[in-house]
Amino acid sequence: AINGQSGTDPDHLQDTMSHVLDAIINSIPAPVVDKDGPTQLLVANIDFDNFIGKLGIGRVRSGSLKANDGGSYGAMAGPDDTMRPVTVKELFVYDNLGRKSVDSVGAGEIVMFAGVSDIGIGETLVSRSNPLPLPKLAIEEPTVSMTFAVNKSPLSGREGDKLTSRVIRDRLYKELDRNVALQVEDGASDAFKVSGRGPLHLTVLIETMRREGFELEVGPPQVIYKEIDGKKHEPWDSVEVQVPEEHSSAVVDLLNRRKGEMQDFGKADTGDYAYIRYLVPTRGTIGLRTNLLSATRGLAVIDSNFDSYRPFAGDVGNKEKGSLLAFEDGEATSHGLLGAQDRGQLFASPKTAVYKDMIVGIHQRPGDLRVNVCKQKQLTNMRSATKGIVEGLSPPIELTLDSAVEYISQDEIVEVTPNSIRMAKQQGWDKKNKK
């Protein structure tokens, strides 16, 4: 495929991909459609265009669809819904990596249509004269929420140009046009509650926003609880890990400590690998990926999906170690970091801008500790026999958005800017602890 060659015999390849296309046509059955029936198109996805608005995407199951054929079509969310009249203004089909406008399409075509501003996933475009809606598709509900807020740190405004709550709010609500599984609620103090299908779903949005020039503060992930039959329930994920057999015991121990329930354990089809399948509370999967990779030397292959809501599993345990906090505003120095690294592992490097209560490392013991990473070395006019010896400073831990979101506790936040990822304590955290 890289060389643009294909064939039925590996020793006689030709400079064409027609053999691959023929194999697809011969191996994959054609869609079951009714070209002469009434119009049916089940909306499987939506998109948004800045010029023509919301776009519905789906396959024409029956009949045909024409652009600007006012009064012929309606939309229904399942057989029990009331039909509302709609007008399809434009039709598009996929063309290579883009799309092209067409006047009409027949059954079997995957199309995009514009003109229905309130269309949603699971609805069916039907013929008004003979409406036959398909069963509505169910969209998975959010299981995790995070707080997005205006960046209030002393270093705010240095890198991004989108800083205010109004701009952040407009961007989040605009995301709802494309991201149907996302939910946004206005909160207090320039903050917004954003809910999605797991931390990964939300960190993808955060990464997109920071690349667009946004600065914001993000709170720790919180699972969304439900009360079912008078009892507290929480989301559980199905986690499957493929790992070399010598590391399987470490994986089992880690999942057990997070209130996981083993579902399957066996030998994988390839190599000396074992597969381990667990049901784990979603709370327990936050930070799990990083810990699994550390326990298996990066050899674990991890896959997780939402399973169901189940009874509350109890406490899954807090962080075993505290954080190292900057003592004051300033710039980290080699001398200050050298003294701080005896207390734990560091995130900061020399010349890193820091501010009071910013997290600069992982404390080697439980509890948080302030360290003076901005400390200057005392200068004297005395000669030293060890003047030319440079003491070793350990390289800092590389901080990514995913690892930062997994690391923070309930009283901590992640500061996200176009060029930097920082972690800090929430304002007033020390007063709350004293109470």
Side-chain angles (χ1 to χ4, degrees):
I2 295 177
N3 299 325
Q5 297 179 326
S6 67
T8 56
D9 187 343
D11 297 326
H12 299 88
L13 298 178
Q14 301 177 12
D15 294 330
T16 177
M17 299 300 292
S18 60
H19 298 284
V20 176
L21 300 176
D22 291 341
I24 293 174
I25 294 174
N26 296 331
S27 303
I28 300 177
V32 179
V33 297
D34 182 5
K35 295 183 179 181
D36 300 323
T39 300
Q40 279 184 326
L41 184 150
L42 183 65
V43 180
N45 201 357
I46 61 173
D47 200 354
F48 189 83
D49 187 281
N50 292 329
F51 298 100
I52 57 179
K54 183 178 284 189
L55 299 168
I57 304 173
R59 184 193 299 275
V60 181
R61 300 289 187 92
S62 174
S64 61
L65 200 61
K66 297 180 181 179
N68 291 313
D69 191 1
S72 298
Y73 307 115
M76 299 179 67
D80 300 328
D81 190 32
T82 303
M83 183 182 64
R84 66 183 192 279
V86 298
T87 300
V88 177
K89 294 182 179 179
E90 291 189 69
L91 278 176
F92 303 92
V93 295
Y94 289 94
D95 182 34
N96 295 325
L97 298 179
R99 68 188 186 210
K100 67 178 181 180
S101 179
V102 294
D103 295 327
S104 63
V105 292
E109 288 280 1
I110 298 176
V111 300
M112 305 174 71
F113 62 90
V116 188
S117 60
D118 58 348
I119 197 69
I121 290 181
E123 291 190 292
T124 307
L125 281 187
V126 295
S127 171
R128 292 183 65 180
S129 60
N130 187 11
L132 296 174
L134 296 166
K136 185 179 179 180
L137 294 176
I139 302 175
E140 288 186 14
E141 296 181 1
T143 57
V144 174
S145 67
M146 296 173 67
T147 301
F148 289 35
V150 174
N151 185 12
K152 301 176 182 177
S153 85
L155 302 179
S156 65
R158 296 190 180 186
E159 299 174 5
D161 54 3
K162 298 180 176 67
L163 312 172
T164 63
S165 61
R166 179 185 61 82
V167 176
I168 295 174
R169 183 183 186 278
D170 290 346
R171 176 62 181 84
L172 290 175
Y173 278 93
K174 185 179 179 181
E175 183 70 18
L176 298 180
D177 292 329
R178 289 188 174 92
N179 205 332
V180 294
L182 200 71
Q183 293 182 5
V184 180
E185 302 175 30
D186 292 345
S189 303
D190 298 330
F192 308 93
K193 180 182 178 182
V194 184
S195 305
R197 294 180 294 189
L200 180 60
H201 184 197
L202 299 178
T203 52
V204 169
L205 173 60
I206 298 170
E207 181 65 30
T208 302
M209 291 179 65
R210 71 185 285 248
R211 294 185 182 187
E212 294 173 358
F214 283 86
E215 287 193 11
L216 60 155
E217 290 181 355
V218 180
Q222 305 275 358
V223 300
I224 299 174
Y225 298 103
K226 286 185 177 181
E227 187 169 326
I228 302 175
D229 297 331
K231 295 183 179 180
K232 185 178 181 181
H233 283 60
E234 65 175 332
W236 286 60
D237 289 354
S238 174
V239 179
E240 182 172 333
V241 183
Q242 291 195 24
V243 65
E245 291 181 351
E246 63 265 26
H247 297 300
S248 59
S249 59
V251 173
V252 170
D253 178 63
L254 191 58
L255 293 171
N256 284 337
R257 283 192 277 119
R258 292 175 178 253
K259 301 290 185 179
E261 298 179 2
M262 182 180 289
Q263 303 296 303
D264 199 2
F265 190 133
K267 185 175 176 60
D269 296 333
T270 57
D272 296 329
Y273 272 68
Y275 70 87
I276 305 167
R277 189 176 296 114
Y278 264 74
L279 285 180
V280 185
T282 301
R283 289 178 297 133
T285 63
I286 298 173
L288 177 64
R289 187 175 299 271
T290 301
N291 291 334
L292 281 176
L293 291 176
S294 298
T296 61
R297 299 181 181 179
L299 299 176
V301 179
I302 308 153
D303 182 37
S304 64
N305 293 290
F306 170 72
D307 182 77
S308 60
Y309 270 84
R310 304 182 66 191
F312 183 69
D315 185 20
V316 296
N318 298 319
K319 286 194 305 184
E320 298 178 355
K321 298 180 180 179
S323 300
L324 297 177
L325 310 178
F327 178 74
E328 60 183 354
D329 298 358
E331 192 176 84
T333 64
S334 299
H335 183 64
L337 293 171
L338 192 62
Q341 76 175 7
D342 294 335
R343 304 285 188 173
Q345 298 174 289
L346 299 177
F347 296 122
S349 57
K351 297 185 180 292
T352 298
V354 300
Y355 52 87
K356 185 177 180 180
D357 289 339
M358 174 178 160
I359 298 175
V360 295
I362 304 173
H363 192 197
Q364 60 188 2
R365 297 178 181 178
D368 301 321
L369 177 68
R370 285 195 173 103
V371 291
N372 189 359
V373 294
C374 303
K375 185 178 181 180
Q376 298 286 341
K377 188 172 184 178
Q378 192 70 27
L379 300 178
T380 68
N381 59 356
M382 300 295 292
R383 290 182 176 272
S384 171
T386 59
K387 179 181 178 181
I389 299 178
V390 179
E391 296 183 79
L393 188 63
S394 301
I397 300 173
E398 183 179 355
L399 193 62
T400 64
L401 178 60
D402 289 334
S403 61
V405 169
E406 292 176 351
Y407 177 85
I408 57 175
S409 301
Q410 299 305 313
D411 59 350
E412 298 168 346
I413 56 97
V414 178
E415 178 190 352
V416 181
T417 67
N419 301 323
S420 305
I421 301 290
R422 307 182 187 95
M423 298 182 295
K425 287 290 184 179
Q426 294 180 357
Q427 293 182 0
W429 70 277
D430 48 352
K431 296 180 183 178
K432 295 178 182 178
N433 290 342
K434 288 178 182 179
K435 292 180 182 180

